[in-house]
Amino acid sequence: MALVATAENVKALVDGLNFAEKVARSLRLISEAYEEYGDRLVVANSLGKDSCVVWDLAKRVNPKIAGFIVTTRFKPRETIDFMKLTVARYPELKVYKNDSEIPDRLYETNPDRCCDVLKVEPTRQAIREMNVACWVTGLRCTEGRTRTDFQEVEERDKGLVKLNPILIWHEREVWQYLALYGVPVNPLYAAGYRSLGCATCTKIANGPDERAGRWIGTSKCGGECGIHTQPLKIEVRSDR
Ligand code: SF4
């Protein structure tokens, strides 16, 4: 992909490009990757505001682009309802969920393990089953303390490229896009949430850190479920 920024100029691009330039850049990144990977390019749609942008951008690049959603038994009712509406509109979004038994209140006693079982494992399954070579995410480097070191294109697992096409977008620009292009979002945002996850681990929080409401009271506070912070440790088929 020709357009990809180096580690140094990601920071410069965050404030150096205007909204329209960022939209154009994101569309080009997805478009270049789609040319390279075809239907082995798949969007990981978390149903959050950032994923709504990325999904809309991908559909503008090519309506045939597919995706997957990872859901858990602890998602809020509003998120489940929003998921059902989204999948009814886009049947090319496959839903993955791990229903295996886990210890009671694992999200309190060992949230890392809980996320690994309920979120990371179904992500691995989706990537395997959909034969993904390039997955597209809504990660943004301005989103919080845990997200400052990502790149637009990464390869943490050999043969599996991760494309982060809105890496350099500000939160404001995400809302700007959703408003300007009339993209529907989870109604929980209207209630004051800024970052959405499982109901058990997500609160409304104020302050500069967008993810401050996640895992409050645990060692993971403001942190990550683990999907993006470590290799998925999966074998990826090389056929293209
Ligand atoms: S966000 Fe909370 S409930 Fe959901 S998988 Fe992670 S620890 Fe478990």
Side-chain angles (χ1 to χ4, degrees), residues 28 45 51 89 98 108 112 126 144 149 157 171-172 232:
R28 262 190 70 190
N45 187 337
S51 282
R89 183 174 175 197
N98 186 352
E108 281 176 2
D112 285 329
D149 288 332
D157 293 272
E171 184 183 21
R172 166 185 55 82
L232 291 171

Side-chain angles (χ1 to χ4, degrees), residues 60-154:
R60 286 170 65 181
V61 168
N62 193 312
K64 287 198 304 200
I65 290 178
F68 67 87
I69 293 169
V70 169
T71 190
T72 78
R73 67 199 76 182
F74 297 117
K75 290 287 181 181
R77 180 187 46 78
E78 292 86 346
T79 301
I80 300 294
D81 291 346
F82 182 63
M83 179 178 78
K84 287 180 183 162
L85 283 174
T86 307
V87 173
R89 183 174 175 197
Y90 298 107
E92 65 274 28
L93 273 172
K94 291 178 75 173
V95 177
Y96 287 84
K97 183 171 179 239
N98 186 352
D99 284 322
S100 63
E101 210 172 303
I102 56 170
D104 204 23
R105 303 184 88 82
L106 187 62
Y107 52 83
E108 281 176 2
T109 55
N110 191 345
D112 285 329
R113 177 75 190 132
C114 188
C115 279
D116 192 50
V117 175
L118 300 187
K119 291 182 167 179
V120 181
E121 191 46 50
T123 302
R124 289 190 188 106
Q125 188 190 353
I127 285 171
R128 268 193 225 107
E129 285 186 11
M130 296 180 81
N131 192 23
V132 177
C134 174
W135 58 311
V136 187
T137 85
L139 278 177
R140 292 179 14 254
C141 63
T142 60
E143 209 180 338
R145 62 177 172 79
T146 54
R147 299 207 162 178
T148 54
D149 288 332
F150 293 108
Q151 299 302 310
E152 286 175 320
V153 177
E154 303 181 339

